[in-house]
Amino acid sequence: MNLTDQIKGVIYGQAFGDALGLGTEFMSKEQVKYHYPQGLGQVDQIIEDAHRSRWQKGEWTDDTDQMLCIFDSLLAHRKLHLLDIADRFYQWAHSGDVDIGNTVASVVFASGFRDNPQQVSRLVWENSGKNNAANGAVMRTSILGAWDYQNLDMVAYHAEKVCKITHFDPRCIASCRIVCALIALMLQGEPGDEKLVARVCQPYMEADHRVKDYVDRAFDPAIEKLELGASHSIGYTLKALGAGLWGVIHAKSYEEGILAIVHEGGDADTNASVAGALLGAKFGYSGIPRVWAESLLHREALDKRIARLMEILI
């Protein structure tokens, strides 16, 4: 692998995890087995029910849409421009029939969002009783691990600031900072293994027992411990984080990790987006099965962005 291969792995890894994960999104594990008795391994196998028929086979969902909003802003300004990112979220959310999470919608559609998104985000979180920790920020954060990857302080700063555009809960912030730090460190050349995960997560585990709970679960080889398909906590930021950490620690390949996560059901497109980005950094684009990468729609648009990013970074 080289840096270009890894960064392309992050972007494609997220996008394909998103596209394949759509096939089992919102399903219990039992429903996954019912609809895919031989397993789900290709995007053209995805069933066409009322939810999934909104996308073409191989098309990513809102997870990657929002990541690309951040990506495009970075490419346009060559620095973090929070109001521009917020405006891109706003324009995307108002562009038509988009899949959008409840937390993002409640913030982006609120009065004053474009002028002071973090203030609106904080008010929405406070009005929820400070108990809303959805996964809408961690699912889009991967590009911030690649941008300015050599400066971990800036990676953490960017991850937190962009998270707070829509998600103010400290669990959301911790999730974004952990994912971005892991991507950045793997791009720096560190091995993606349990030692790296433990080192990056330790400060957050000490600060918040809720983070510790899901990091501990991720270290267990049994992916079932994460309860990804449990309906009562679907869409929880720490579940998406846990899925990504589990993949880094236990998966022997990109394919193995994505398939294990997708077949757990739950918020599978988001869980596989987060895990896909991390596994893409670990195994590179060259580690993603070619048939999977080539089954992605709009991949030319990804390639153009990646080429522009590499011109800036190298």
Side-chain angles (χ1 to χ4, degrees):
M1 291 189 299
N2 55 41
L3 181 62
T4 300
D5 187 62
Q6 283 185 282
I7 288 179
K8 191 171 182 178
V10 171
I11 305 305
Y12 268 81
Q14 155 143 5
F16 185 81
D18 186 1
L20 188 67
L22 172 66
T24 62
E25 184 186 19
F26 303 143
M27 292 183 185
S28 66
K29 197 168 182 178
E30 292 70 27
Q31 289 172 319
V32 173
K33 291 178 180 178
Y34 173 80
H35 288 292
Y36 304 103
Q38 304 304 316
L40 173 62
Q42 304 292 343
V43 293
D44 60 9
Q45 295 176 273
I46 294 175
I47 63 169
E48 293 192 20
D49 57 11
H51 175 58
R52 273 154 275 273
S53 61
R54 295 166 58 194
W55 290 270
Q56 298 179 64
K57 302 295 177 64
E59 193 171 18
W60 56 71
T61 76
D62 61 319
D63 304 56
T64 305
D65 282 342
Q66 289 186 55
M67 183 271 284
L68 293 178
C69 288
I70 302 168
F71 199 167
D72 288 341
S73 180
L74 291 170
L75 292 175
H77 297 278
R78 298 199 173 196
K79 65 177 183 179
L80 191 71
H81 192 315
L82 289 174
L83 287 181
D84 182 67
I85 294 171
D87 189 65
R88 290 173 190 270
F89 288 162
Y90 178 90
Q91 298 294 344
W92 165 78
H94 286 78
S95 65
D97 182 25
V98 297
D99 184 38
I100 187 167
N102 292 333
T103 301
V104 174
S106 63
V107 176
V108 171
F109 292 131
S111 175
F113 170 75
R114 297 169 86 181
D115 297 319
N116 199 333
Q118 290 192 356
Q119 179 177 325
V120 173
S121 173
R122 180 168 192 154
L123 287 172
V124 168
W125 175 63
E126 289 174 345
N127 289 337
S128 76
K130 298 184 178 180
N131 196 38
N132 186 354
N135 59 15
V138 71
M139 71 187 193
R140 68 190 184 212
T141 203
S142 59
I143 186 59
L144 296 169
W147 184 262
D148 214 2
Y149 71 94
Q150 292 178 317
N151 188 331
L152 289 180
D153 289 337
M154 290 306 296
V155 167
Y157 174 82
H158 292 159
E160 179 168 341
K161 290 297 184 181
V162 175
C163 177
K164 285 182 174 179
I165 291 176
T166 52
H167 291 67
F168 221 86
D169 192 277
R171 289 165 289 178
C172 300
I173 296 166
S175 300
C176 291
R177 290 181 65 156
I178 290 169
V179 168
C180 289
L182 287 170
I183 289 173
L185 287 165
M186 285 189 280
L187 296 183
Q188 288 181 22
E190 295 209 29
D193 57 20
E194 64 274 9
K195 292 181 180 178
L196 181 66
V197 172
R199 174 159 56 89
V200 169
C201 292
Q202 190 61 39
Y204 303 97
M205 295 170 68
E206 293 174 355
D208 192 329
H209 68 89
R210 298 169 298 184
V211 175
K212 183 179 186 305
D213 177 33
Y214 274 88
V215 174
D216 287 344
R217 295 186 193 203
F219 271 89
D220 193 306
I223 194 173
E224 294 80 8
K225 294 294 180 64
L226 290 168
E227 299 180 309
L228 297 178
S231 60
H232 68 277
S233 55
I234 193 170
Y236 185 30
T237 189
L238 294 180
K239 281 200 173 186
L241 172 66
L245 299 181
W246 185 92
V248 172
I249 296 166
H250 301 291
K252 299 299 187 293
S253 66
Y254 176 88
E255 181 178 11
E256 178 183 305
I258 291 299
L259 289 178
I261 289 163
V262 163
H263 285 90
E264 290 298 300
D267 204 352
D269 62 331
T270 293
N271 297 335
S273 291
V274 175
L278 288 163
L279 291 168
K282 179 172 180 175
F283 296 109
Y285 175 77
S286 56
I288 299 174
R290 177 173 292 184
V291 66
W292 280 8
E294 293 180 351
S295 68
L296 263 181
L297 294 183
H298 317 307
R299 59 187 180 277
E300 295 83 1
L302 298 183
D303 290 338
K304 289 179 181 179
R305 289 177 171 94
I306 293 165
R308 290 175 60 196
L309 175 61
M310 298 315 301
E311 289 175 0
I312 295 171
L313 294 182
I314 296 177

